[in-house]
Amino acid sequence: MNEKNKEGKLPDKILAFDSSTRRGSLALFIPSTDEVIEHYTDINKVHSERLMPSLRFVLDQYGLSLSEIDMIAVAVGPGSFTGLRIALATAKGLSISKGIPVKGISTLEALAYNGFYKDFLICPIVDAGRSKIYFALYGKKSDKNLIEIIKPSCGTIDDIVRLLERRKNIFFTGNGICKYERHLKSKLKRKNLLFASEDLQHISAIKIARYAYERIRKGEKYDNVSTLLPLYLKPSDAEEKVSADRRV
């Protein structure tokens, strides 16, 4: 364990990165007071151009330095290949240079954590491009622990329909709702479906921070930065193109 946390104290100043979508963000979360500062990156610029200026902005709002940060939480995917690499590289670099422990968080799990106020199964769906979706299915325990029912996957909307056709009471969240809500309603009739409001459909750094804190609070360990990797679930567009060219 990192020197900062060798006594097992809970982190109270958490820096979080999310670059898994074009709507990237960076947040500072202080659990003891529930204070939050979140700064969204400019989608017209690449995350690499905005991440460090956003970091300086957020820290300056509280007059903090990196040496005062207790934990870094970072979205590991699935999501944008480039965005995930940038966020993870930044988190690892800060961890190594400043001695800050890191907790990697699945974007699908962080989205599912939004559904704890509903007594439903939780199905996050995230647009993966090219008519594909990242998805998973979770149940939950009374202590807010997620139970993985369908592991994080990449497929089509009809793959989701097929996997859910024997289930009911499903709460959908994620940015895939805006594109596929009507299709899900038509194909999963009488299944008692609920869909997240717009503010709960998007992953963000503060959701990553809150879920990472809960995981550490319940006794999970920090991640080894040398083995922490992105969760891609599908080949990159370039890899898919090479594969398609080889089949021609």
Side-chain angles (χ1 to χ4, degrees), residues 78-224:
S80 160
F81 284 64
T82 301
L84 294 175
R85 285 196 296 269
I86 291 168
L88 269 171
T90 303
K92 289 183 176 187
L94 293 175
S95 175
I96 293 168
S97 64
K98 302 295 183 181
I100 308 171
V102 172
K103 186 66 177 173
I105 295 295
S106 158
T107 52
L108 296 177
E109 283 190 32
L111 281 168
Y113 190 67
N114 290 329
F116 267 112
Y117 69 99
K118 299 292 184 185
D119 188 23
F120 277 55
L121 296 176
I122 309 163
C123 184
I125 54 175
V126 175
D127 188 4
R130 299 197 176 192
S131 299
K132 294 291 184 67
I133 303 169
Y134 299 122
F135 65 93
L137 185 68
Y138 301 94
K140 54 188 182 292
K141 297 179 181 178
S142 58
D143 61 356
K144 293 190 174 183
N145 283 335
L146 289 171
I147 304 168
E148 185 181 283
I149 298 172
I150 296 175
K151 69 179 183 179
S153 306
C154 182
T156 66
I157 190 62
D158 288 322
D159 290 330
I160 297 175
V161 168
R162 176 177 53 80
L163 290 167
L164 297 180
E165 61 186 0
R166 295 182 180 274
R167 302 183 184 274
K168 60 181 181 179
N169 298 336
I170 306 164
F171 177 75
F172 288 95
T173 186
N175 66 9
I177 288 176
C178 62
K179 186 182 291 187
Y180 295 109
E181 179 176 354
R182 183 177 299 179
H183 186 85
L184 290 166
K185 286 179 176 178
S186 69
K187 296 294 185 179
L188 296 172
K189 294 177 180 178
R190 296 182 296 279
K191 295 295 185 180
N192 197 14
L193 310 181
L194 288 177
F195 294 85
S197 57
E198 200 277 337
D199 61 311
L200 293 179
Q201 292 175 16
H202 299 283
I203 192 62
S204 68
I206 187 54
K207 292 173 183 175
I208 295 295
R210 288 186 184 278
Y211 188 48
Y213 176 76
E214 283 299 312
R215 297 267 294 268
I216 296 299
R217 187 179 66 82
K218 291 170 183 173
E220 288 194 24
K221 295 181 179 180
Y222 294 102
D223 288 305
N224 183 332

Side-chain angles (χ1 to χ4, degrees), residues 1-2 4-6 8-12 14 70-72 100-104 212 216-217 219-225:
M1 184 175 290
N2 187 280
K4 274 188 179 196
N5 294 275
K6 64 182 179 180
K9 293 180 180 178
L10 287 174
D12 194 48
I14 300 170
D70 300 314
M71 177 176 82
I72 295 172
I100 308 171
V102 172
K103 186 66 177 173
I216 296 299
R217 187 179 66 82
E220 288 194 24
K221 295 181 179 180
Y222 294 102
D223 288 305
N224 183 332
V225 294

